[in-house]
C-alpha cells in the first residue's frame, strides 16, 4: 500500500506535531529566552546570580539526595509488591487488594500528602496519639522521603507489574531442572529480564520526586529543594521571573539526562515471543513473607490517608474530638467549592476526550502506518520529552507565553496543559496495543477496496477500545489530581479543585482541604470502576468476535456520547458571567466576608466574583500579567501595588474621594491594616512547662528550641512584621543576632505561608508562633487553646489596599463603583477584625485594640523588603 493512498496519516502527524510545537516547544523556548534577557547586556547575569546565590546548590543537592533515596526504596517496594502478585500463591482477593492498594495514592493530589503526613505522624497526629510518642521527625528529609515514596509507588508498581506479566515463567522451570540454586534462578529468570524496567522505574521515581513541590510545601521545613526554590523565585514575596526561568532550565537538565538513559535502557529489555502458563511452586514461607511485607506497605498507606476520613468529621482536631458533620455541610453549602468541583469534572472529561484522541492519533502514526521513519522518531521523541518535563516548568512557560492572549485563564489552556503534561504514558499504552494487533488488516482491507481511514474506524478502533478506555481513565484521573502545572494557568472562572486546595492552604482551612480531597478520591474511584467495567465488557465481547470489531461499536458510540453530554452539562457557561467584576484578593476570610456584605447590601449581589490567592501568588500574577490580568479589581498588600504600578502602569486613578489619615497614592486606598503578634497554644505551653513570652526577643531563648514557628520572608510578607519590629527596636546588627537565634529555635518550622505558624500552633506541632494578630484573636474567640501576646517591640502593620485595573476600553465600569462601595460601606465591619483606623472620622475599637500599635519609620517599599530579605538570609546561613 503506497503512502500516497492514505494522506490521512500525514494530516494526523501534522496535527500532532503542530500541537506540540506550539504548546511545548514554543513555551519552553520562551522560558529559555527569559533566562537570558537582561537590560544590562550580559546574557548570563541571571545564571550567575542564581548559581552564586546562597543555598541554591544546597537545594539542588538536597533534591538529588532525597529523590534518589526515595526512588531506590520505592523501586524495591514496588518490586516486592509486584512479585507478590505474580510469583506467590496468595489468594486472588489478597492479590486484588495489593493491586488496588498500591495505586490508591495516585487518586489523590500530591499537595494533600504533606497535610496527611502532619495529621498522621506529627506531634498531635493520629499515629503519634496511638503510640504515645512521635515515631520520627516529619519535617525535612524524612518527611519528604515518606511523601515521595507514597507519591511514586503507584507509578513504579504499575511499570514493574506490567513487565512481570510478560516474563515467561517456563525459564524458571528450566533453571531448576539444570540444577541452579534458588538465588541464581531468581536473578537469571526474574531480575535479569526486569533490569531495564527496574532502572526505568528508579529514573521515573527520581524525576517525579525531584520536580514535585506539593509535598515540600507542607513538610519540607528548612530542607530546601529545587522545586521550592523555583516556586519562591516565581511566586515569592519578591518575584523574579528571570531567575525563576534559570531555575526552571536547571530542572530540565535531569529531563535531558533521563531521556538519554531511558533510550539506553531500552536495549536491556527482554522480550519473549510466547508466554507459557506456569503455576507457581508451593512455598508457604515465601507466601507468608509476601503477605506480611505487602500488608505492612499497604498498612502504612492506609494509616497515612486515614486522617483524611477522620479530620473533617471531628469538631476541631486534635482538641475537640466530638463527631460532627458541620465541616462537610459547610463545604457543600459553599457555592465556590461546589463550583470548582464542577470545573474539575468538566476539565477532566474534556482532557480525557481530547487527550485520548491525541494519543490514539499519535500511536496510529507510529504503529499502524508506513510513514517515514523520521516522522515516527519525532513522535517517539515527543513522548520521551513529555515523560520527563516537570509540570511546574510547563505551567510557568504557559504563564509567560499566553498572558495577554485569548487563551489566558481559559479552560482550553488548562485542558491543553494537561494533555501535554500527561501525553507520554497514554501514547505508549496505545502504541503497545496497536502493535500487538494483526499487521495485515490494512492490507486485507485495501484488497477489498476499503481505504485506510475506513479500516481504522471499522476494524482497528473497535479492537483497541479497551485500551482507549484505559487511556481515557488515565487522563481523567490525572486531570483531577494535577496541581503543579495548572496552578499557574487557572483563573477565577476556571479554578479547579487542586488549585483551590493550594489556595486554602494559605488560609489554614484544612477541613475544607480534606473534604475536597475526599471528593477527588471518591470521584476517581467511581470513574475507575466505571472505566474498568467498560473495558472488561469490551474485552469479553472481543473474545467472542475474534477481531471482527462489531460488538464494540455501539458501546464505543454510547460511551463517547455519554462523555460529551456530561461535559456539556457540566460546562460552567462563562458567557453568563462575562459582565461580572472579577476581584482578585489576598485577603483573609473575615475581610472577604466584610467586602461581600458591603457589596451585597448595596445592590451588587451576583455582579462580582471573588478569587483569593496567597500574597506571593497574587503578587507574582501582578508582576507577570500586568494589565492582562483577568481581574477588574484587586485588593492586595499596598507595597505590592506600588511595585506593580511602577513596573506595569496597570491601575487607574480612583475617581472618588476618601480622606485617609496618612497619604496614599491616587490609584489605591487602604481597606485593612494587619498587625503582627506572638501567639501560643496554651495546652502545649502547660505540657512543656514553658514560660509565656512577652516580646519577640524572648523567642531567641534556647528554652523554646523546637517549639517556635515563624514565616520565611523570602516567601511570605507576613514575616516582614517580625523583622520590622526587631530592626526598629534594636537596630540591624542586634536584630540580626536575635533573628539568628529565633531561626535556630524554629528549626524546620520556618513556613512558606503566612498562616503556617498559626496552623502549627493550632495542631500542637509547636507551642509558639508569630503571624497575623487577628487570626489568633479569632481562634481564641472560638474556644481553641490559642492565645496571643502583643510584643513589647510593637505590633507593626501592613496595609492592604484596593485598586482598579486599567484595561482601556475593556475596563469594567462597575469596578470603580465597587471599590468605592467597599471603602464607604465595608470599613465598619472590617474594623471589627482589623481595628486600626485608616480614614478620617474612624476611631479604634478599644476592646480589640493591640497593646503596642506602631508604624515602621521608613516607607514600606519593595526595595526595603529586598533589604530585609538579605538580612534574613544572612541570619539563616550563620
Amino acid at each position: 500500500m503506497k503512502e500516497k493512498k492514505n494522506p490521512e496519516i500525514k494530516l494526523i502527524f501534522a496535527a500532532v506535531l503542530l500541537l506540540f510545537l506550539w504548546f511545548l516547544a514554543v513555551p519552553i523556548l520562551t522560558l529559555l529566552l527569559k533566562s537570558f534577557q537582561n537590560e544590562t547586556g550580559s546574557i548570563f547575569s541571571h545564571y550567575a546570580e542564581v548559581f552564586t546565590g546562597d543555598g541554591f546548590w544546597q537545594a539542588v543537592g538536597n533534591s538529588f539526595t532525597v529523590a534518589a533515596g526515595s526512588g531506590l526504596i520505592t523501586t524495591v517496594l514496588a518490586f516486592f509488591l509486584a512479585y507478590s502478585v505474580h510469583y506467590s500463591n496468595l489468594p486472588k482477593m489478597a492479590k486484588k487488594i495489593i493491586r488496588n492498594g498500591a495505586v490508591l495514592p495516585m487518586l489523590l493530589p500530591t499537595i494533600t500528602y504533606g497535610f496527611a503526613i502532619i495529621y498522621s505522624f506529627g506531634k498531635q497526629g493520629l499515629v503519634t496519639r496511638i503510640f504515645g510518642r512521635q515515631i520520627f521527625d516529619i519535617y525535612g528529609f524524612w518527611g519528604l522521603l515518606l511523601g515521595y515514596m507514597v507519591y511514586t509507588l503507584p507509578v513504579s508498581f504499575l511499570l514493574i507489574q506490567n513487565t512481570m506479566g510478560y516474563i515467561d515463567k517456563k525459564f524458571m522451570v528450566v533453571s531448576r531442572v539444570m540444577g541452579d540454586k534458588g538465588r541464581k534462578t531468581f536473578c537469571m529468570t526474574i531480575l535479569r529480564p526486569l533490569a531495564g524496567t527496574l532502572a526505568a522505574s528508579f529514573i521515573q521515581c527520581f524525576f517525579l520526586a525531584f520536580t514535585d513541590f506539593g509535598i515540600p510545601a507542607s513538610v519540607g521545613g528548612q530542607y530546601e529543594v529545587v522545586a521550592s526554590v523555583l516556586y519562591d523565585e516565581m511566586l515569592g514575596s519578591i518575584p523574579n521571573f528571570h531567575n525563576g526561568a534559570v531555575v526552571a532550565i536547571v530542572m530540565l537538565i535531569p529531563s535531558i539526562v533521563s531521556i538519554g538513559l531511558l533510550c539506553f535502557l531500552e536495549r536491556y529489555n527482554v522480550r519473549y515471543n510466547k508466554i507459557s502458563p506456569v503455576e507457581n511452586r508451593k512455598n508457604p514461607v515465601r507466601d507468608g513473607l509476601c503477605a506480611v511485607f505487602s500488608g505492612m506497605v499497604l498498612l502504612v498507606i492506609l494509616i497515612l490517608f486515614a486522617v483524611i476520613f477522620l479530620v473533617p468529621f471531628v469538631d476541631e482536631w486534635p482538641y475537640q474530638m466530638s463527631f460532627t458533620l458541620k465541616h462537610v455541610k459547610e463545604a457543600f453549602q459553599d457555592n465556590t467549592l461546589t463550583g470548582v468541583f464542577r470545573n474539575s469534572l468538566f476539565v477532566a472529561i474534556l482532557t480525557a476526550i481530547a487527550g485520548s484522541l491525541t494519543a490514539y492519533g499519535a500511536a496510529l502514526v507510529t504503529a499502524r502506518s508506513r510513514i517515514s521513519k523520521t516522522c515516527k522518531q519525532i513522535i517517539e521523541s515527543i513522548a520521551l520529552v513529555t515523560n520527563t518535563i516537570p509540570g511546574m516548568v510547563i505551567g510557568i512557560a504557559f504563564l509567560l507565553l499566553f498572558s495577554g492572549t485569548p487563551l489566558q485563564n481559559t479552560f482550553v489552556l488548562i485542558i491543553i496543559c494537561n494533555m501535554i503534561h500527561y501525553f507520554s504514558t497514554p501514547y505508549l499504552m496505545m502504541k503497545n496495543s496497536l502493535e500487538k494487533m494483526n499487521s495485515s488488516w490494512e492490507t486485507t482491507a485495501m484488497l477489498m477496496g476499503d481505504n485506510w481511514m475506513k479500516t481504522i474506524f471499522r476494524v482497528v478502533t473497535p479492537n483497541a477500545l479497551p485500551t482507549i478506555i484505559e487511556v481515557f481513565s488515565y487522563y481523567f484521573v490525572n486531570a483531577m489530581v494535577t496541581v503543579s502545572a495548572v496552578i499557574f494557568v487557572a483563573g477565577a472562572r476556571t479554578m479547579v479543585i487542586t488549585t483551590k486546595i493550594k489556595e486554602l492552604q494559605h488560609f489554614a482551612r484544612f477541613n475544607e482541604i480534606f473534604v475536597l480531597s475526599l471528593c477527588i478520591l471518591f470521584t476517581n474511584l467511581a470513574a475507575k470502576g466505571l472505566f474498568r467495567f467498560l473495558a472488561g465488557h469490551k474485552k469479553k465481547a472481543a473474545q467472542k468476535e475474534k477481531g471482527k470489531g462489531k460488538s464494540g461499536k455501539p458501546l464505543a458510540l454510547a460511551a463517547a456520547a455519554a462523555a460529551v453530554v456530561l461535559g456539556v452539562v457540566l460546562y460552567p457557561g462563562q458567557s453568563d458571567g462575562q459582565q461580572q467584576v472579577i476581584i482578585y484578593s489576598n485577603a483573609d476570610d473575615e475581610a472577604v466576608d466584610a467586602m461581600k456584605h458591603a457589596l451585597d447590601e448595596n445592590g451588587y449581589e451576583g455582579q462580582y466574583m471573588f478569587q483569593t490567592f496567597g500574597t506571593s501568588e497574587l503578587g507574582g500574577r501582578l508582576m507577570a500579567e500586568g494589565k492582562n490580568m483577568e481581574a477588574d479589581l484587586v485588593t492586595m498588600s499596598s507595597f505590592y501595588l506600588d511595585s506593580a504600578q511602577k513596573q506595569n502602569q496597570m491601575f487607574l486613578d480612583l475617581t472618588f474621594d476618601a480622606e485617609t489619615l496618612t497619604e496614599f497614592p491616587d490609584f489605591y486606598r487602604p481597606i485593612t491594616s494587619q498587625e503582627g503578634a506572638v501567639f501560643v497554644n496554651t495546652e502545649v505551653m502547660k505540657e512543656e512547662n514553658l514560660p509565656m513570652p512577652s516580646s519577640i526577643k524572648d523567642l531567641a531563648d534556647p528554652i523554646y528550641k523546637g517549639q517556635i514557628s515563624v514565616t520565611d520572608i523570602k516567601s511570605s510578607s507576613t514575616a516582614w512584621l517580625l523583622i520590622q519590629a526587631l530592626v526598629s527596636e534594636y537596630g540591624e546588627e542586634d536584630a540580626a543576632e536575635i533573628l539568628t537565634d529565633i531561626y535556630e529555635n524554629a528549626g524546620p518550622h520556618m513556613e512558606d505561608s503566612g498562616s503556617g505558624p498559626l496552623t502549627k500552633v493550632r495542631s500542637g506541632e509547636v507551642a509558639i508562633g508569630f503571624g497575623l494578630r487577628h487570626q489568633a484573636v479569632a481562634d481564641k474567640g472560638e474556644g481553641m487553646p490559642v492565645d496571643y501576646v502583643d510584643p513589647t517591640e510593637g505590633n507593626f502593620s501592613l496595609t492592604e489596599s484596593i485598586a482598579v485595573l486599567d484595561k482601556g476600553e475593556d475596563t469594567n465600569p462597575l469596578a470603580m463603583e465597587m471599590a468605592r462601595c467597599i471603602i464607604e460601606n465595608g470599613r465598619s465591619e472590617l474594623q471589627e477584625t482589623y481595628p486600626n483606623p485608616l480614614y478620617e472620622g474612624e476611631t479604634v475599637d478599644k476592646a480589640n485594640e493591640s497593646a503596642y500599635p506602631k508604624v515602621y519609620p521608613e516607607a514600606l517599599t519593595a526595595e526595603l523588603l529586598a533589604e530585609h530579605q538579605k538580612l534574613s538570609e544572612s541570619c539563616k546561613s550563620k
Side-chain angles (χ1 to χ4, degrees):
M1 182 172 61
K2 295 182 179 179
E3 193 60 41
K4 65 181 182 179
K5 292 186 179 181
N6 60 324
E8 300 94 339
I9 197 66
K10 293 183 178 178
L11 292 175
I12 294 174
F13 169 76
V16 172
L17 181 62
L18 183 62
L19 174 71
F20 284 94
L21 279 176
W22 186 244
F23 291 103
L24 182 62
V26 173
I28 296 302
L29 182 60
T30 301
L31 196 64
L32 180 63
L33 294 175
K34 192 76 172 179
S35 70
F36 289 113
Q37 289 176 353
N38 195 300
E39 298 177 356
T40 63
S42 175
I43 62 173
F44 294 106
S45 62
H46 299 300
Y47 283 86
E49 185 177 349
V50 171
F51 290 170
T52 59
D54 291 337
F56 174 73
W57 291 113
Q58 179 65 46
V60 173
N62 289 345
S63 290
F64 272 97
T65 301
V66 71
S70 65
L72 180 61
I73 296 173
T74 301
T75 299
V76 173
L77 295 178
F79 170 81
F80 282 108
L81 289 176
Y83 181 88
S84 300
V85 171
H86 287 281
Y87 289 93
S88 75
N89 289 320
L90 294 176
K92 290 184 178 179
M93 180 57 67
K95 292 184 178 182
K96 185 176 181 180
I97 292 173
I98 293 173
R99 284 193 296 266
N100 293 332
V103 300
L104 178 65
M106 72 184 301
L107 304 182
L108 285 164
T110 61
I111 195 170
T112 304
Y113 293 13
F115 308 142
I117 291 173
I118 293 173
Y119 278 80
S120 295
F121 297 99
K123 290 182 179 179
Q124 297 294 334
L126 177 64
V127 176
T128 304
R129 293 169 71 88
I130 292 174
F131 286 94
R133 61 183 298 273
Q134 190 171 15
I135 299 175
F136 65 95
D137 187 2
I138 63 173
Y139 299 103
F141 176 84
W142 295 109
L144 291 176
L145 185 69
L146 175 62
Y148 289 154
M149 286 164 52
V150 174
Y151 168 40
T152 58
L153 181 64
V155 174
S156 180
F157 172 76
L158 290 174
L159 189 62
I160 296 172
Q161 184 201 215
N162 180 65
T163 305
M164 272 191 181
Y166 291 99
I167 294 178
D168 195 341
K169 294 182 180 180
K170 74 178 180 181
F171 288 99
M172 295 180 66
V173 178
V174 173
S175 177
R176 287 193 292 266
V177 169
M178 293 178 66
D180 292 338
K181 293 182 179 180
R183 185 173 62 180
K184 185 175 181 180
T185 298
F186 177 79
C187 292
M188 293 299 296
T189 63
I190 299 178
L191 284 185
R192 173 63 186 86
L194 281 173
T197 300
L198 293 174
S201 168
F202 171 79
I203 292 172
Q204 287 280 73
C205 294
F206 169 86
F207 188 77
L208 287 171
F210 186 84
T211 59
D212 177 70
F213 88 100
I215 298 170
S218 303
V219 295
Q222 287 190 311
Y223 193 85
E224 195 166 41
V225 293
V226 70
S228 59
V229 172
L230 174 60
Y231 188 81
D232 287 341
E233 290 289 358
M234 298 300 296
L235 296 176
S237 56
I238 302 181
N240 188 322
F241 298 113
H242 297 289
N243 288 1
V246 172
V247 179
I249 296 301
V250 171
M251 291 183 71
L252 287 178
I253 295 176
S255 303
I256 299 170
V257 176
S258 297
I259 291 172
L261 286 174
L262 290 172
C263 291
F264 174 77
L265 292 170
E266 181 67 22
R267 69 182 67 181
Y268 291 96
N269 288 334
V270 176
R271 294 178 174 83
Y272 296 94
N273 295 324
K274 183 181 179 181
I275 308 299
S276 305
V278 176
E279 291 186 5
N280 296 315
R281 294 180 66 187
K282 292 183 179 180
N283 189 330
V285 174
R286 175 203 62 199
D287 294 346
L289 291 175
C290 287
V292 171
F293 178 85
S294 299
M296 290 176 62
V297 174
L298 298 183
L299 182 62
V300 171
I301 295 174
L302 180 63
I303 290 175
L304 178 62
F305 292 116
V307 292
I308 299 177
F309 296 88
L310 295 178
V311 173
F313 299 99
V314 299
D315 198 26
E316 189 62 46
W317 184 281
Y319 299 107
Q320 300 174 20
M321 300 294 287
S322 56
F323 176 79
T324 181
L325 291 174
K326 69 175 183 179
H327 303 306
V328 178
K329 291 179 180 178
E330 288 172 357
F332 284 103
Q333 289 172 356
D334 187 337
N335 292 332
T336 302
L337 297 184
T338 54
V340 297
F341 180 67
R342 183 181 179 183
N343 288 352
S344 288
L345 284 177
F346 173 74
V347 168
I349 291 172
L350 268 293
T351 296
I353 293 173
S356 299
L357 289 174
T358 303
Y360 188 39
L364 287 173
V365 171
T366 55
R368 307 296 298 189
S369 78
R370 298 181 182 179
I371 202 169
S372 70
K373 187 177 180 180
T374 301
C375 294
K376 293 184 179 183
Q377 287 177 340
I378 290 174
I379 299 292
E380 292 289 326
S381 299
I382 289 173
L384 281 171
V385 170
T386 55
N387 189 43
T388 56
I389 193 167
M392 284 184 72
V393 173
I394 296 176
I396 290 169
F398 274 32
L399 173 68
L400 296 176
L401 179 63
F402 295 108
S403 291
T405 70
L407 287 175
Q408 181 184 359
N409 300 132
T410 62
F411 286 115
V412 173
L413 193 60
I414 296 175
I415 291 167
I416 293 174
C417 183
N418 289 335
M419 288 168 54
I420 299 294
H421 187 195
Y422 295 107
F423 171 76
S424 179
T425 298
Y427 161 74
L428 293 175
M429 291 166 64
M430 284 307 323
K431 178 190 172 188
N432 292 335
S433 175
L434 294 176
E435 285 179 339
K436 293 174 185 176
M437 295 180 187
N438 193 322
S439 59
S440 64
W441 282 346
E442 287 88 341
T443 303
T444 303
M446 181 194 72
L447 294 175
M448 296 177 64
D450 288 346
N451 59 32
W452 180 85
M453 186 61 74
K454 186 179 291 186
T455 305
I456 295 299
F457 276 112
R458 295 177 58 183
V459 181
V460 176
T461 299
N463 283 277
L465 191 58
T467 305
I468 293 174
I469 294 173
E470 291 177 8
V471 166
F472 189 97
S473 174
Y474 182 89
Y475 263 121
F476 180 92
V477 169
N478 281 283
M480 286 293 294
V481 302
T482 185
V483 63
S484 59
V486 299
I487 192 172
F488 295 97
V489 296
R493 296 187 180 95
T494 57
M495 187 69 64
V496 293
I497 288 185
T498 49
T499 54
K500 188 67 177 178
I501 288 176
K502 183 68 177 71
E503 172 194 330
L504 293 173
Q505 177 195 4
H506 286 284
F507 306 115
R509 293 168 59 183
F510 290 98
N511 290 315
E512 288 93 334
I513 287 174
F514 286 141
V515 169
L516 289 180
S517 297
L518 287 176
C519 288
I520 293 176
L521 176 61
F522 290 136
T523 300
N524 283 336
L525 285 173
K528 285 188 72 68
L530 174 62
F531 299 142
R532 187 174 297 169
F533 168 78
L534 293 175
H537 180 86
K538 174 53 193 159
K539 285 179 180 178
K540 291 179 182 178
Q543 290 175 357
K544 294 179 180 179
E545 294 297 325
K546 294 297 183 181
K548 294 179 182 179
K550 295 179 181 179
S551 64
K553 192 172 182 180
L555 179 62
L557 293 175
V564 172
V565 169
L566 186 57
V568 171
V569 170
L570 291 171
Y571 181 63
Q574 294 184 65
S575 59
D576 294 337
Q578 286 296 324
Q579 297 305 314
Q580 285 184 320
V581 172
I582 302 298
I583 305 174
Y584 276 9
S585 177
N586 72 325
D588 296 314
D589 290 340
E590 298 87 353
V592 171
D593 289 343
M595 288 186 278
K596 286 181 176 180
H597 293 159
L599 293 172
D600 292 346
E601 293 168 5
N602 288 275
Y604 295 107
E605 185 174 0
Q607 300 183 54
Y608 63 88
M609 179 183 292
F610 253 100
Q611 180 57 56
T612 55
F613 298 87
T615 301
S616 60
E617 289 176 2
L618 181 52
R621 286 179 176 265
L622 286 170
M623 299 301 184
E625 298 178 347
K627 293 182 179 181
N628 297 319
M629 285 187 72
E630 177 190 30
D632 301 296
L633 199 60
V634 173
T635 77
M636 181 58 169
S637 300
S638 302
F639 72 91
Y640 257 126
L641 297 178
D642 288 323
S643 299
Q645 181 74 343
K646 182 178 179 180
Q647 176 177 306
N648 300 319
Q649 293 298 308
M650 58 187 294
F651 300 116
L652 291 170
D653 285 346
L654 300 181
T655 58
F656 55 87
D657 294 327
E659 298 299 328
T660 55
L661 297 176
T662 57
E663 187 176 353
F664 286 90
D666 293 334
F667 64 90
Y668 69 72
R669 285 294 180 270
I671 53 172
T672 63
S673 174
Q674 306 202 29
E675 295 180 306
V678 175
F679 32 78
V680 300
N681 184 306
T682 53
E683 294 196 9
V684 176
M685 293 289 286
K686 292 177 183 178
E687 292 172 4
E688 300 295 331
N689 196 27
L690 296 174
M692 188 69 71
S694 61
S695 67
I696 297 174
K697 185 178 181 180
D698 288 346
L699 305 186
D701 191 328
I703 196 174
Y704 298 117
K705 188 173 179 63
Q707 291 291 349
I708 292 175
S709 179
V710 295
T711 310
D712 190 348
I713 192 175
K714 185 171 62 174
S715 54
S716 173
S717 58
T718 301
W720 202 6
L721 298 171
L722 181 147
I723 295 177
Q724 285 180 42
L726 290 177
V727 173
S728 175
E729 182 71 15
Y730 306 109
E732 286 198 11
E733 186 174 338
D734 289 342
E737 293 183 7
I738 297 170
L739 197 59
T740 299
D741 292 336
I742 291 175
Y743 287 168
E744 177 69 22
N745 284 343
H749 302 295
M750 285 191 66
E751 309 299 322
D752 290 333
S753 168
S755 61
L758 182 59
T759 301
K760 293 285 183 70
V761 170
R762 279 178 180 171
S763 63
E765 286 294 302
V766 297
I768 305 171
F770 181 92
L772 298 177
R773 182 179 185 271
H774 70 274
Q775 293 179 330
V777 172
D779 278 7
K780 182 179 180 180
E782 292 178 5
M784 295 185 191
V786 174
D787 202 351
Y788 57 92
V789 176
D790 291 325
T792 55
E793 291 92 348
N795 299 96
F796 284 79
S797 61
L798 290 172
T799 61
E800 293 188 351
S801 299
I802 193 165
V804 178
L805 270 290
D806 181 2
K807 296 188 174 183
E809 295 180 355
D810 296 327
T811 300
N812 194 320
L814 289 178
M816 190 69 70
E817 295 180 23
M818 290 187 184
R820 180 172 184 169
C821 177
I822 288 171
I823 292 174
E824 292 182 351
N825 302 290
R827 280 292 300 156
S828 57
E829 184 176 346
L830 285 167
Q831 275 197 278
E832 295 175 6
T833 305
Y834 315 91
N836 290 351
L838 296 172
Y839 291 88
E840 291 185 3
E842 291 183 345
T843 57
V844 67
D845 180 2
K846 294 297 183 181
N848 199 22
E849 182 182 17
S850 59
Y852 309 104
K854 289 187 180 180
V855 178
Y856 197 71
E858 295 181 47
L860 300 182
T861 63
E863 290 75 19
L864 180 62
L865 176 59
E867 290 180 17
H868 287 169
Q869 278 191 351
K870 291 180 180 179
L871 173 66
S872 174
E873 290 300 302
S874 68
C875 296
K876 287 192 290 186
S877 61
K878 289 182 179 180

